[in-house]
Amino acid sequence: MPRRANSIVRFCFEAGVLGFVASALGIVFGIGLMAIMGKTGGTVNGSVMKVIVTWPVIVVPLLFGVIVTILASIGSARSATAVTPLEALRPVEVTDARKAGIVRGALGVLMILVGVVGCVFGASRIPVVIRNSGTNGNDTFYQFALLAAVAGCALFFLGLVITATFWLPVLMRGVGALIAHIGPSAKIADANIRKNPRRVAATGVALLIGVTLVSTVATGAACGKETMGGALDAHYSVDMVASGEGVNRKVAAKIAKVKGIENTLYAPVTSVDMKDQSGATGNSVLVVGVESSAALSKVLRADLSSVNLDEGTVLMPKIDTFSGKEIKLGPTVDLTDSRTATRGPKKGYIDRKITTTLKTVQIDYRKVDTEYQLVAFVNASHFANGDFFAMSHMVIAKVGLDGQSKDGASKSGANTLAKVFEDTQSVLGNSSHVSLKGPAAERQQWNNTINQMMILLVGLLAVAVLIALIGVANTLSLSVIERTRESATLRAIGMTRGQLKRSLACEALLISLVSGVVGVILGTAFGWLGSYMVFSTIGQTAYLFDWKFNGAVLLIAALAALVSSIFPARRAVKTPPIAALAEA
């Protein structure tokens, strides 16, 4: 017993040294990579990245690497030290597999069941959150539901990883039985997969984890972009608004010439206080002066067919954009302009407080300006006769796609709208006196944020996939060493070098593609659930499957698997059959 304990300690010490060296190299590589990105102009939210090395950056990864490596080595150390000298002289047999399998299987199934319950519970609470608190994402009940779903996904996935020894080899055997009909190389690859299912499962799980995480992030990002696009279109009744002190007719003319802009409306605006007959007030109502309802209908997504915007009428929204509830106003409203006005060129300023009573007309249109909850439209004559003093002007622009106005949030529409926004922003330049708002601007900012997060996360997760593919190469290398006599026998009975190489390539492809496909399926499911939990309080959740990204992940995994099989294959065919048989 003491000897075995000493052996286990020696194994753990070697593992700790290995973990320390590998973690140190990883820290150096990571710091160097960040330094290179900073030197080459890498940015985050427009800010240049700087490398700042603190003690947690060094200590935490070192401790984590050492501890994880030691824990991972304990099981192997116990198995190795449990073998007697006599058993070591015979072919390796797996002992106590049934007992270990029962414990592992029971624990994994329990975690899967608890995970499913957590996911279902969290998802089932979202309708209650929406009904009770609307879009209040900070609600405690919502946070509890989100935590339950996240914990459920984690337990479910961990349960799948623990039980992978049982179900992953079965999947590989099923796929292998199909490809075995292709030829002798595929048939041998299928047979080799069946020989050591535990090792194959461990290798496949490493790739499964990386692909699942990458696919989850990509699916969540795609669903988030589409959902936010639809939510923005539902909350806005305009496509783009340029406003500020620098907006004038010259700027409006430039915007109108941007490719993709279908119509524009140049209008004076001012901020007023509102009071209706019931006494309800709404401070800082933005009043926009337009020539007619026909001119407004060209840029506002709303039904204005029954609206006559004459001098005595004010057009007000019917539904509150934030709460979704109806805005109840009286037949008339009082709009008070308390701004300072100028007498004329070089004649000084006067304080004014003019109240104008107008007949209220309400229709269903949503947000027009991000800074004002209520935006009202009046006839431009009220600005000409002095009822309202124009504090500035705005340009409302409507985007057209292939000759059609922009409605909804289709993928092509979102891309086109982003391009129009970029072109309009370039026309306006970097003037601090003009701001470009609307769903195009918000979508662009949201997409940029998601894309930057995607680059960082996918970059980190790609390292995990790369490590898993190195594991595939290691598995093939070990199998080649163990099957030296078998490979020599196959060569002796007529199998060519090319066929033997193809069998190892098929084996690598089988491991990587089966694990990759399962990872994509799981990642898509987790991404959809996460999108529902996060974005359903904002709008109608879009469930997308990113064919291009997931296809690229599987293609890269397949190509990397083929590359990883090259060196083991060269080793397998390098030794002549007679020498290999003699060596074995």
Side-chain angles (χ1 to χ4, degrees):
M1 238 355 237
R3 289 183 179 180
R4 184 183 178 189
N6 290 335
S7 298
I8 293 177
V9 171
R10 186 169 61 254
F11 272 112
C12 292
F13 177 77
E14 293 177 1
V17 173
L18 178 63
F20 179 85
V21 174
S23 300
L25 291 175
I27 293 170
V28 173
F29 177 76
I31 295 175
L33 183 61
M34 291 297 101
I36 293 174
M37 292 181 65
K39 293 293 184 181
T40 55
T43 61
V44 177
N45 292 327
S47 301
V48 177
M49 290 190 300
K50 296 181 180 179
V51 179
I52 301 176
V53 180
T54 59
W55 70 265
V57 173
I58 298 176
V59 174
V60 174
L62 277 177
L63 289 178
F64 183 80
V66 171
I67 292 173
V68 169
T69 308
I70 292 175
L71 292 177
S73 68
I74 291 177
S76 300
R78 293 181 61 186
S79 300
T81 55
V83 178
T84 63
L86 184 61
E87 290 175 333
L89 297 176
R90 296 198 303 261
V92 177
E93 299 289 343
V94 179
T95 58
D96 295 331
R98 182 179 300 275
K99 182 177 180 181
I102 292 176
V103 175
R104 176 189 290 265
L107 179 61
V109 170
L110 178 62
M111 296 178 74
I112 290 174
L113 293 177
V114 175
V116 170
V117 171
C119 293
V120 172
F121 173 80
S124 65
R125 297 299 91 191
I126 293 299
V128 180
V129 172
I130 297 174
R131 185 168 58 250
N132 293 343
S133 57
T135 58
N136 184 11
N138 294 322
D139 186 83
T140 303
F141 189 71
Y142 169 76
Q143 293 178 350
F144 178 72
L146 183 61
L147 180 62
V150 171
C153 288
L155 286 174
F156 180 81
F157 187 62
L158 190 56
L160 287 178
V161 170
I162 290 176
T163 58
T165 306
F166 302 100
W167 60 266
L168 192 54
V170 174
L171 283 179
M172 292 186 181
R173 286 200 298 269
V175 178
L178 294 177
I179 68 170
H181 300 287
I182 297 177
S185 297
K187 193 176 184 71
I188 291 175
D190 175 43
N192 290 335
I193 288 289
R194 298 169 184 264
K195 286 184 177 179
N196 201 326
R198 292 173 65 90
R199 180 189 295 166
V200 169
T203 304
V205 162
L207 185 59
L208 171 68
I209 293 173
V211 174
T212 299
L213 294 175
V214 171
S215 183
T216 300
V217 173
T219 301
C223 295
K225 289 181 181 179
E226 192 72 7
T227 302
M228 286 301 298
L232 288 172
D233 284 336
H235 283 75
Y236 278 93
S237 290
V238 295
D239 289 335
M240 286 193 299
V241 174
S243 59
E245 296 179 0
V247 175
N248 50 43
R249 292 190 181 276
K250 189 176 181 180
V251 171
K254 289 182 179 180
I255 295 176
K257 293 179 181 179
V258 173
K259 185 177 180 181
I261 297 293
E262 186 177 291
N263 290 301
T264 59
L265 175 66
Y266 176 70
V269 296
T270 190
S271 177
V272 302
D273 295 328
M274 182 190 73
K275 181 178 181 180
D276 68 357
Q277 288 184 342
S278 64
T281 60
N283 294 327
S284 299
V285 176
L286 186 68
V287 175
V288 183
V290 298
E291 296 296 331
S292 63
S293 57
L296 181 60
S297 65
K298 294 181 180 180
V299 295
L300 187 71
R301 292 198 300 271
D303 183 10
L304 301 178
S305 57
S306 61
V307 177
N308 181 20
L309 205 56
D310 55 25
E311 292 187 9
T313 303
V314 58
L315 181 63
M316 301 286 291
K318 188 176 183 179
I319 304 296
D320 185 277
T321 303
F322 300 97
S323 66
K325 298 180 180 179
E326 183 178 357
I327 301 174
K328 296 181 180 181
L329 298 174
T332 63
V333 293
D334 295 334
L335 301 179
T336 303
D337 187 347
S338 303
R339 289 192 169 272
T340 300
T342 180
R343 295 175 182 269
K346 300 181 180 180
K347 291 184 179 180
Y349 297 87
I350 59 172
D351 291 331
R352 48 176 275 152
K353 187 174 182 180
I354 299 177
T355 299
T356 304
T357 301
L358 300 174
K359 182 176 67 175
T360 306
V361 175
Q362 290 182 269
I363 64 169
D364 186 10
Y365 65 90
R366 304 302 169 95
K367 190 187 296 185
V368 175
D369 190 282
T370 56
E371 297 180 6
Y372 294 88
Q373 185 174 358
L374 293 178
V375 176
F377 294 95
V378 300
N379 194 282
S381 60
H382 288 286
F383 285 86
N385 63 21
D387 290 340
F388 302 115
F389 171 69
M391 64 178 184
S392 61
H393 289 77
M394 72 163 43
V395 177
I396 304 176
K398 189 172 187 178
V399 178
L401 296 176
D402 299 328
Q404 302 295 324
S405 60
K406 169 70 174 68
D407 293 315
S410 64
K411 187 174 182 180
S412 60
N415 291 335
T416 301
L417 193 58
K419 181 65 168 60
V420 174
F421 168 77
E422 292 175 358
D423 292 343
T424 306
Q425 188 68 61
S426 64
V427 166
L428 297 176
N430 298 322
S431 174
S432 59
H433 300 292
V434 180
S435 61
L436 195 59
K437 309 170 186 176
E442 292 194 23
R443 181 184 285 124
Q444 187 73 358
Q445 295 171 357
W446 180 259
N447 288 351
N448 288 341
T449 301
I450 291 180
N451 290 338
Q452 289 175 353
M453 293 176 60
M454 276 278 292
I455 292 173
L456 294 175
L457 291 176
V458 172
L460 293 174
L461 296 175
V463 176
V465 176
L466 177 61
I467 293 172
L469 291 171
I470 293 175
V472 174
N474 290 336
T475 296
L476 293 178
S477 298
L478 289 173
S479 66
V480 166
I481 295 173
E482 292 175 353
R483 298 198 303 260
T484 301
R485 180 183 291 273
E486 178 185 328
S487 299
T489 302
L490 291 173
R491 293 282 309 284
I493 63 177
M495 192 172 195
T496 65
R497 290 187 175 188
Q499 288 176 324
L500 187 57
K501 288 181 178 180
R502 285 194 293 272
S503 69
L504 290 172
C506 288
E507 189 175 344
L509 279 174
L510 191 59
I511 295 173
S512 63
L513 287 182
V514 170
S515 302
V517 170
V518 175
V520 167
I521 294 173
L522 289 175
T524 301
F526 291 150
W528 284 353
L529 178 60
S531 298
Y532 175 73
M533 296 298 299
V534 174
F535 299 115
S536 57
T537 58
I538 298 174
Q540 186 66 34
T541 307
Y543 301 99
L544 302 180
F545 182 81
D546 197 334
W547 291 95
K548 291 183 179 180
F549 186 88
N550 290 321
V553 170
L554 293 178
L555 179 61
I556 292 173
L559 294 176
L562 290 176
V563 172
S564 67
S565 68
I566 292 177
F567 293 104
R570 290 181 61 184
R571 180 187 180 93
V573 302
K574 185 177 181 180
T575 307
I578 296 178
L581 288 171
E583 180 183 350

